[in-house]
Amino acid sequence: MSDFLKATGKLVARHIAQRLKGLEGQLSKISPALARESLALLNEFATAGKLLRGSLVFLGYELGAGRAPDEGEHQNLLDLACAMELLQSSLLIHDDIMDRDEFRLGRPAIHSHYKSLLHNRGIAEAGHHGQ
């Protein structure tokens, strides 16, 4: 079971990276540097864990269907697994803001990262804008 979850987690991590990379063009219209940095930070945050929720999408499918997904189903499951992990990431980011946690897993929380970045650039109300 742990081999299945590890292997599936790696697939999900790659898919998250691909999906986020696909957004860079759109976000670059606002700010190319901010787009690259924000997407890289989100990718690092979203893929830092075991990606268990995304892996459970595949496990649930296989248990329910009684078989491994075919190629088309596999792609749809990857999209769903990616969505689950990004949703979980957004909930954790929000949780850190609500709890005023400055760190997550020994690293600056996302809002803390942006607060520091904006403060160093002399932006007023950096904490508010970081959130």
Side-chain angles (χ1 to χ4, degrees):
M1 177 63 69
S2 68
D3 289 342
F4 174 85
L5 295 175
K6 285 179 189 176
T8 306
K10 288 179 184 178
L11 289 173
V12 173
R14 281 196 301 269
H15 194 66
I16 290 171
Q18 290 170 349
R19 287 303 215 162
L20 293 177
K21 183 73 174 159
L23 296 173
E24 192 172 331
Q26 284 180 290
L27 295 177
S28 289
K29 294 174 185 175
I30 300 167
S31 168
L34 185 59
R36 278 190 305 279
E37 179 187 345
S38 296
L39 291 172
L41 188 61
L42 180 56
N43 182 60
E44 183 180 327
F45 184 83
T47 61
K50 297 176 187 138
L51 301 165
L52 193 57
R53 287 162 191 84
S55 298
L56 289 175
V57 167
F58 281 88
L59 183 60
Y61 176 87
E62 290 190 19
L63 289 172
R67 61 177 174 79
D70 65 28
E71 190 174 321
E73 292 166 333
H74 184 81
Q75 190 61 41
N76 290 337
L77 290 171
L78 272 176
D79 287 340
L80 181 57
C82 178
M84 291 294 293
E85 291 295 343
L86 290 173
L87 174 63
Q88 176 63 18
S89 294
S90 70
L91 293 171
L92 291 173
I93 291 167
H94 184 264
D95 181 66
D96 289 342
I97 292 168
M98 296 304 295
D99 293 345
R100 296 185 176 132
D101 289 332
E102 295 293 317
F103 293 91
R104 176 161 291 278
L105 300 175
R107 303 173 121 172
I110 299 287
H111 72 282
S112 297
H113 169 83
Y114 284 110
K115 177 175 74 173
S116 296
L117 180 77
L118 295 169
H119 177 76
N120 292 340
R121 292 182 181 172
I123 303 297
E125 298 187 51
H128 173 72
H129 293 298
Q131 291 179 1

